[in-house]
Every structure is written in C-alpha cells, then in structure tokens.
Amino acid sequence: MTSTILIKNGVVIDTEPEPVVLGRADVRVDGDTITAVGPDLPAEPGAEVIDATGRLVLPGFVDTHRHTWQAGIRAVAPDIDFGGYMRRIMTELAPRHRPRDLHAGNLAGALECLDAGVTTLLDWSHAQYSPEHTEAAVRALRESGIRAVFGYCHAGRHGVLAEETRRVHDTHFGTPGLVTMAVAALGPEITSEEHALAEWRVAAELGLPVTAHLGGRGRQSAVKGLAFLEDHGLLATPTTFVHALYYTDEELKRLAAAGATASIAPVDEMNLGIGYPTTGDLRAAGIPTGLGADTVVCSPGDMFSQMRTAHLLERGRPGGAGLGFTTRDALRMATIEGAQVLGLGDVVGSLRPGKQADLQLLRTDTLGMAAAHDPIGAIVLNADTGCVDTVMVAGRVLKSRGQILHHDLAAVLASLAESAGAVVAV
C-alpha cells in the first residue's frame, strides 16, 4: 500500500523553470513521488500530515562536487593553497585512510549534507586504494539515505583502470537505487593522456557520465586539456567541468554546444587560490552550472554558504558587470540547475508533480529569518543550517523537527573521531 504524506500550510517555493514563491500551499507525496502542489489539498484518511506553518517548503539542495570522505579531516588546513592541499591532503593524509575511515567520513559527510538540506550529492571519491575502500564508501552513502552519484576515481595504473571500473559498476550498481555511479576522471590536466583516454572510454562503454577537474589550473592547462578532449571526440560523453575558470567566451560556447555542464565551488576556488569563480560567464554561455562544497578541509560544507559566496562574488565584479546575478539565480544553481548538471533534472531539483519527493522545510520563526519580505532572498542571504527543520528523500523523512532520524549520531560521531585521530596521528 502506498503511503501518503501531506505537507500543509507552508510557504511553497518551486524552482522550475525559474525560482518562484507560490505562496501558502500544500504538497502531496504518494510513496516516493510528488503528486500535487496547491492550496487546500484534501487530507485523505490515513494520510500523514506535516504541519508546515511558519516554514518554507522547497526542493532539497543539490551538491554537484564534494569529496565526502574528507569529513574526518575537517578544517585540518583552513588557510592552505592548492599546492599545499595536494601535498598535505592527497599525498600525506589520503593514503592513511583505511576502508573504515572512508566509511566513517562518507557516512558522517552524507549525514552532514542531509542535516543542511542537501538531498542529492555528487561524491567525488578519490581515495580508492582497494576494493574494500570502494565497498566502504558506497555502503556508507546507502546507509545514510541520501541520493548520491558516486564518482569513482581510479588513480592507479591505467592498464587496470577499465577492468576495475567495470568491476565496481557491476558489483555495486547492478540494480537501480538512490546511489548511482559516475566516472570521476583525473583527466588530461592531471594525469597522462593515455590514462585520460581510458577514463572517458570506459565511461562511454558503461553509459556513465564523467566528472573531472578541468579548466582550473591556469590558461595554458585549460587550452591543452580542452584540445585533447575535442580532438579525441570525448565530449560526446556527458562531462561536468569542475572549476572551469580559465576558458574564453568562445571556448565556453563550444562546451555548451557539446552539452557539457559545470560545477563551481566558490569558497574553495577563492580560498585555495584556484581562481575567481566564473559563475556568470558559464551560465551566460548556456552551460548548466551547479554549486559544490568541494572539501571541508578548508571550506564550509553547507549550500547556504556556497549560494551566498557565489552571489557575493558575481555581483561584486568590477564595474557592476555581475549585478544581473540574483538570489533567484543562486537558488536555481543550488536546486534544479544542479540536478541538471548531474543528469537528474527530470528526477529531482523542483517540486513538479511526478518528480521524486526530495524536499526540505526551513524555519522562519528565528531571529535571523523573521519578517523576511522576500523568502528566496532570505534563503540565500539569511538562512543557515539551523533553519533546516525537515528533510525528505524519495518520500522518506530523514530529518524532522531539527533532528536527524534513523541513525545513532553519537555512534557516528564517535567513529568519525576515532578515524580522525588515526588519520592525522604522526
């Protein structure tokens, strides 16, 4: 028997095709699906009613790029640059992670997302040192209850890359579910061209999208990497360009024509010295662009911080060049546009009936949110994780009245603390 949940009396905000405040309305969920949005929907016998009075009802956030396993090394290097990040995090700390550490980090990191209203996550997982590491990371995502795309990065010898990627796909993603797979490619700007070719070719073979750090290592590297992808016809495979900061307008038009998407991590791009986020340029070129927390080693892990930073940096461009970017644009990037980046635009990211019931309720009865005249503006400029009252993924309530459900948080945090101590110990 299909269960029904009726969310009553909230101020509903939808995001498709553009963010709009629908006003006081109800949302009906049957099973895992949104079936109706409108005023005064009838509460049928047996339906569970969630009173959303004093709450904003909107789609869950979509994080398009996050190294979730790094939850156990939060703020380990808050003032580091990119070169230092590669040395301290990827060379020193990453190899110290045991499979149990990846499980602890991924579970705590995914629950951190849910606690902050993020219902869909691209987990760019580049600490895959063994099949046991991979199993632990995927298992943690599934245990959390979040909707996730597991970005599998095989950093070993390219000769076994395709074989191992096939094994991971067949072993862990043989049946549909909330956790799906992408190839997290090192790409031509980081690894050898032979390795990069193997990454895109196995993705095409398995029908998987690619997510790669492209265009964030300076102008010369961006030009060389893009030429490699175009010369080999690799952009026929859906590809997300992470940190796409150093392309010309003409090159961005070529990416748009190829169907590429982009992910911007505005806090990390500034904090690590990668470059100034190109949010407006990417979107002006017609490239769907999402937001990502990237890494909590030197960045906040919530989408409110990412939206605020993107909004501030774009509007702060010299000469008022970015003043056309609005809070509605920021919210769109964090919801439906982020879903499009992950290839899930027809599944999540808005409250359109027929989509999966991935949504959140935000409190407005706080000093920081009270008397807000523009609800969308308040979400982007004023809200924080403390406002997240209720979170639902595929019709399942995972947070209610400010509390994460279905998990022993004390045990989760104890496991994370043990992992953190083991990883950073000299």
Side-chain angles (χ1 to χ4, degrees), residues 382-417:
N382 306 114
D384 57 30
T385 58
C387 297
V388 182
D389 178 85
T390 300
V391 176
M392 179 185 294
V393 175
R396 184 186 183 207
V397 178
L398 300 179
K399 183 177 183 179
S400 178
R401 298 181 181 179
Q403 300 297 316
I404 289 288
L405 307 178
H406 316 301
H407 291 274
D408 182 345
L409 286 187
V412 170
L413 294 174
S415 178
L416 187 68

Side-chain angles (χ1 to χ4, degrees), residues 47-245:
E48 176 184 353
V49 177
I50 296 176
D51 184 6
T53 301
R55 305 292 186 262
L56 305 177
V57 183
L58 66 151
F61 296 133
V62 179
D63 187 325
T64 59
H65 182 73
R66 189 186 190 105
H67 305 301
T68 316
W69 60 271
Q70 295 177 356
I73 49 176
R74 184 186 312 276
V76 74
D79 303 308
I80 207 166
D81 64 11
F82 182 71
Y85 170 87
M86 295 300 293
R87 291 188 297 273
R88 175 65 172 149
I89 308 304
M90 296 313 302
T91 302
E92 296 177 16
L93 297 184
R96 299 179 188 175
H97 280 69
R98 305 158 294 181
R100 62 191 291 181
D101 300 315
L102 252 66
H103 180 273
N106 258 29
L107 180 56
L111 291 178
E112 175 189 359
C113 287
L114 290 168
D115 191 47
V118 174
T119 53
T120 299
L121 164 71
L122 186 290
D123 178 24
W124 216 103
S125 196
H126 54 342
Q128 302 303 311
Y129 298 107
S130 72
E132 291 74 25
H133 283 81
T134 301
E135 189 279 332
V138 174
R139 176 163 50 89
L141 292 175
R142 290 199 167 112
E143 288 174 1
S144 74
I146 201 168
R147 188 182 304 276
V149 179
F150 179 68
Y152 176 72
C153 179
H154 187 283
R157 294 179 294 110
H158 69 267
V160 299
L161 182 154
E163 178 183 350
E164 186 60 12
T165 303
R166 291 188 199 101
R167 185 198 67 79
V168 170
H169 177 264
D170 295 345
T171 301
H172 298 291
F173 300 96
T175 57
L178 288 177
V179 183
T180 56
M181 183 178 176
V183 171
L186 293 175
E189 296 186 46
I190 295 177
T191 188
S192 69
E193 293 186 352
E194 190 174 13
H195 188 100
L197 276 174
E199 292 174 321
W200 264 263
R201 285 173 176 169
V202 73
E205 172 194 328
L206 297 174
L208 299 175
V210 172
T211 172
H213 298 79
L214 293 164
R217 293 189 154 216
R219 176 66 185 149
Q220 184 176 358
S221 179
V223 171
K224 182 179 178 181
L226 180 56
F228 171 82
L229 296 175
E230 291 180 325
D231 290 347
H232 289 88
L234 302 184
L235 292 182
T237 297
T239 299
T240 297
F241 284 62
V242 180
H243 310 313
L245 308 184

Side-chain angles (χ1 to χ4, degrees), residues 22 34 104 125 143 269 281 319 350 366 384:
L22 299 179
I34 298 168
S125 196
E143 288 174 1
E269 286 161 6
D281 293 338
S350 76
T366 66
D384 57 30

